[in-house]
Amino acid sequence: MAVRKTGRYYQIDYYVGGKRVRETLKGVTTKQEALEIERERLRNGIGPIQFKRFKDLAEWYLTHPDKAQKKTLDKDRERLDLHLLPYFGHCKSQDITPSMVDDYKVKRLKDFAAPATINRELALLRHILRFAYRKEKIHRVPPISLLKEDNVRQRFITEEEIQKILEYLSGDARDVVIVAYHTGMRLGEILDLRWKNVDLKRRLFVFKGEKSNGRERAVALAPEVVEVLSRRPRGLPGVKLFHLKMYQVEGAWGRACKKVGVKDAKIHDLRRTRCTIWHKEEGLPQDLIMSMSGHRTDSMFRRYQITSTEFVESLARKWAEQKGGNRNGETNS
């Protein structure tokens, strides 16, 4: 049993099952940490952990039984394939350092990625490493700090914009966007909808056993949503309404926005837009909106209450149309 430093790295020397094991600990910076690892090896009667390159570790994570039901698994794979693996994939897990993570932040910022986007990627990196540590695939997790972000978006999707976008959408993607715009539901919730959640007679989405503010959650369906559901083939209770992945809907949305010139618009903005319309235009009480939208706290709800210039302008146009005003904004004398 011995710990020594050879060059840049610490090396431990011990016996397991009568066989001598020499292990170089890359990424370990102190002798005390090396001693703790050596004691763990002897205590558990195991040899050195087989360090995998991060790309192998990521694939192991994506296919692990514990993650099979994770709703964002497709989004995780997309983030890995597009950004994390090209940068970290060739590295061994123990070689991922805080300095390397900082360099990744700089690179992504130069690519004009938003801090919130970068943070979601780094959060996934950290989660994979922590999960691997708990499963004894790696012996340490580097500290990974996130960027400071202003995550209170103010984007409001106007009626004119949504109609333009819908013209360039088709099939399930179009139906999903219609449901998102008129219900304020999260994209993940919509894609996980089953026929057991649909009550066309009462014109509701019903989520039994899913509590929000102490009550079972129900979402009222606008005529546009009822029309979408009425033309879809009815399935068994456990069958999904839509058979698309998140990245497929977001991709179709992005292409449609680009074609019609709608800038800085995300599908999740439809949730904020609907909550704002319900509250400020239709005058629905806050507790009713929170019950339908699934917001659990007043602070989260308030973050969705925006008063953008576009919203005020659209409200002014609506009032003008209702009162018989003309297009020039002139009033009758």
Side-chain angles (χ1 to χ4, degrees):
M1 178 174 174
V3 174
R4 65 177 63 87
K5 191 170 186 180
T6 56
R8 295 170 54 195
Y9 305 113
Y10 281 94
Q11 186 181 74
I12 54 179
D13 191 340
Y14 57 98
Y15 286 85
V16 174
K19 293 184 178 181
R20 186 179 184 181
V21 177
R22 289 179 178 176
E23 182 181 352
T24 300
L25 304 176
K26 294 183 178 180
V28 174
T29 57
T30 66
K31 185 175 181 178
Q32 182 61 34
E33 188 177 359
L35 280 168
E36 290 175 359
I37 293 172
E38 184 180 55
R39 292 191 190 104
E40 180 186 0
R41 300 287 195 270
L42 293 170
R43 182 171 58 251
N44 297 329
I46 60 174
I49 295 176
Q50 295 298 316
F51 292 109
K52 298 181 178 181
R53 297 193 182 278
F54 180 70
K55 64 179 181 181
D56 300 319
L57 201 61
E59 186 59 33
W60 165 81
Y61 169 86
L62 291 170
T63 57
H64 196 280
D66 289 359
K67 302 299 177 182
Q69 301 302 317
K70 189 180 180 186
K71 293 182 179 180
T72 60
L73 202 60
D74 291 325
K75 191 67 177 180
D76 290 348
R77 184 178 289 278
E78 181 182 354
R79 288 180 174 130
L80 283 163
D81 290 343
L82 292 179
H83 305 295
L84 293 173
L85 290 183
Y87 195 86
F88 297 103
H90 67 286
C91 300
K92 291 184 179 180
S93 301
Q94 69 270 24
D95 294 336
I96 297 176
T97 63
S99 177
M100 190 176 185
V101 172
D102 288 341
D103 291 342
Y104 177 80
K105 296 175 187 175
V106 172
K107 176 185 179 300
R108 293 290 287 127
L109 288 170
K110 288 182 178 178
D111 293 337
F112 301 102
T117 300
I118 300 170
N119 283 347
R120 301 297 84 74
E121 296 162 6
L122 293 177
L124 175 59
L125 173 66
R126 183 169 60 187
H127 179 68
I128 292 174
L129 293 174
R130 287 178 175 175
F131 183 73
Y133 178 80
R134 291 197 301 271
K135 298 295 184 180
E136 298 184 345
K137 293 297 181 181
I138 58 177
H139 69 73
R140 62 188 293 272
V141 178
I144 298 176
S145 62
L146 304 183
L147 293 167
K148 184 178 180 180
E149 60 180 89
D150 179 9
N151 57 359
V152 182
R153 277 177 64 83
Q154 295 290 311
R155 186 66 163 90
F156 181 90
I157 307 296
T158 66
E159 178 71 23
E160 181 181 3
E161 287 176 328
I162 191 63
Q163 293 305 325
K164 287 181 178 179
I165 293 169
L166 287 174
E167 289 179 6
Y168 283 87
L169 291 172
S170 61
D172 279 9
R174 188 176 191 275
D175 288 347
V176 167
V177 170
I178 290 174
V179 173
Y181 178 66
H182 288 283
T183 65
M185 293 173 62
R186 303 173 182 88
L187 179 57
E189 292 177 328
I190 296 171
L191 295 180
D192 198 46
L193 279 169
R194 318 277 171 154
W195 280 106
K196 66 181 180 181
N197 302 124
V198 179
D199 188 338
L200 283 177
K201 184 177 181 180
R202 294 192 294 165
R203 304 170 76 89
L204 297 175
F205 284 143
V206 180
F207 303 93
K208 295 181 179 179
E210 297 186 18
K211 302 292 183 180
S212 177
N213 300 319
R215 302 176 182 177
E216 289 187 342
R217 184 179 172 198
V219 181
L221 305 182
E224 293 84 353
V225 178
V226 173
E227 181 184 350
V228 165
L229 299 176
S230 298
R231 65 171 181 261
R232 298 191 68 81
R234 184 84 185 195
L236 294 173
V239 174
K240 287 186 176 184
L241 272 66
F242 306 105
H243 303 283
L244 291 176
K245 304 294 186 182
M246 291 183 69
Y247 74 88
Q248 292 174 312
V249 180
E250 290 173 340
W253 169 271
R255 290 189 293 272
C257 288
K258 187 175 182 179
K259 286 180 180 178
V260 299
V262 174
K263 298 180 180 179
D264 187 34
K266 300 179 181 180
I267 289 183
H268 196 73
D269 294 332
L270 297 176
R271 177 169 166 81
R272 183 183 305 102
T273 297
R274 180 50 49 187
C275 289
T276 302
I277 290 175
W278 279 341
H279 188 55
K280 297 185 182 298
E281 185 174 348
E282 299 185 9
L284 299 184
Q286 178 178 326
D287 59 344
L288 176 59
I289 299 173
M290 289 178 65
S291 176
M292 290 197 292
S293 66
H295 286 109
R296 295 182 181 276
T297 64
D298 289 346
S299 60
M300 284 301 298
F301 177 79
R302 285 194 297 271
R303 288 176 61 185
Y304 278 76
Q305 299 312 300
I306 58 174
T307 308
S308 67
T309 302
E310 292 85 355
F311 179 76
V312 175
E313 183 180 357
S314 66
L315 188 60
R317 286 199 303 268
K318 182 175 181 179
W319 285 346
E321 293 170 0
Q322 290 175 343
K323 298 298 182 180
N326 58 37
R327 293 184 179 179
N328 295 324
E330 297 175 355
T331 57
N332 295 327
S333 56

